[in-house]
Amino acid sequence: MRAWQPISGGAEAIQQYLDGGLIDEFSISLSPVLLGTGIRLFDHVDPDRIALDQTRSVASPRVTHLTCTTSKR
């Protein structure tokens, strides 16, 4: 079992970790606030190689917390 480690660097770094199969589980906090332009988090993740399964969600009017696991296809 691997220890929990934070990933820093934004969407491009997370995409590389996901595409490399280096993430078993992750959590994202989504807030309906637009801060300008950005990068879509899952645009460059190959759905033929990696499956994402939502395992938990906690919603409120200001934020939604999502937890997902990954698996290889």
Side-chain angles (χ1 to χ4, degrees):
M1 181 160 107
R2 291 187 246 181
W4 181 87
Q5 294 289 320
I7 297 174
S8 299
E12 291 175 349
I14 294 169
Q15 289 170 350
Q16 290 174 9
Y17 276 88
L18 281 169
D19 198 41
L22 301 172
I23 296 177
D24 297 324
E25 179 180 88
F26 62 91
S27 296
I28 297 176
S29 297
L30 300 172
S31 182
V33 176
L34 299 176
L35 300 173
T37 62
I39 297 171
R40 293 174 157 233
L41 184 58
F42 302 112
D43 267 2
H44 300 290
V45 177
D46 186 355
D48 293 328
R49 292 183 48 227
I50 299 169
L52 302 177
D53 297 307
Q54 184 178 322
T55 57
R56 184 170 188 246
S57 71
V58 178
S60 74
R62 295 181 183 228
V63 66
T64 299
H65 302 281
L66 300 172
T67 301
C68 299
T69 58
T70 64
S71 59
K72 293 182 181 181
R73 291 189 185 242

